[in-house]
Amino acid sequence: MATNGASHYLRVRFPTNKADHIIKDLCWIDKDFINYKDWGRYGYADQYQLGDITILTSTPTQKLGILLEIHGSGCRQFESMLIAHGMVWEDFLYTCLQER
């Protein structure tokens, strides 16, 4: 994703069920400020949502892992968080690749 404002959609799947880790440590979102919904999409069990940033979770038996989906204004919002942490999209994507 470029840092020039041209990015409008990102979807990353993490092979883990550690939603708290993805939300807090990777996305820097405080769970007190994110909405929980007990239903998901794409076969996922439930989801956490902050505007256009969605984190879908699965049960351990589903083995789908965690799906991070960012679109529209969520890309701009997340880009602001990246900048605040001294990162660009490429840094974030590299960090995503390191997740297990």
Side-chain angles (χ1 to χ4, degrees):
M1 293 182 75
T3 57
N4 63 3
S7 304
H8 301 288
Y9 187 82
L10 173 71
R11 184 188 289 181
V12 180
R13 184 190 163 277
F14 299 97
T16 180
N17 283 325
K18 299 176 183 176
D20 288 344
H21 165 67
I22 299 300
I23 293 168
K24 180 184 170 199
D25 301 327
L26 194 67
C27 296
W28 311 292
I29 298 173
D30 186 329
K31 279 187 74 174
D32 291 338
F33 301 109
I34 194 167
N35 295 316
Y36 172 77
K37 297 179 181 178
D38 62 357
W39 54 271
R41 297 178 301 211
Y42 318 124
Y44 285 84
D46 49 16
Q47 64 183 316
Y48 295 89
Q49 191 166 19
L50 179 65
D52 289 333
I53 300 171
T54 305
I55 299 153
L56 295 129
T57 63
S58 66
T59 65
T61 56
Q62 286 179 299
K63 299 182 181 178
L64 293 174
I66 305 290
L67 183 69
L68 170 63
E69 187 174 59
I70 307 172
H71 60 89
S73 62
C75 291
R76 303 293 71 76
Q77 181 181 10
F78 198 78
E79 189 169 42
S80 295
M81 291 189 284
L82 289 173
I83 291 168
H85 285 87
M87 297 175 70
V88 294
W89 282 109
E90 291 81 3
D91 299 323
F92 176 70
L93 293 173
Y94 180 78
T95 301
C96 290
L97 288 172
Q98 304 307 308
E99 287 296 318
R100 301 261 185 265

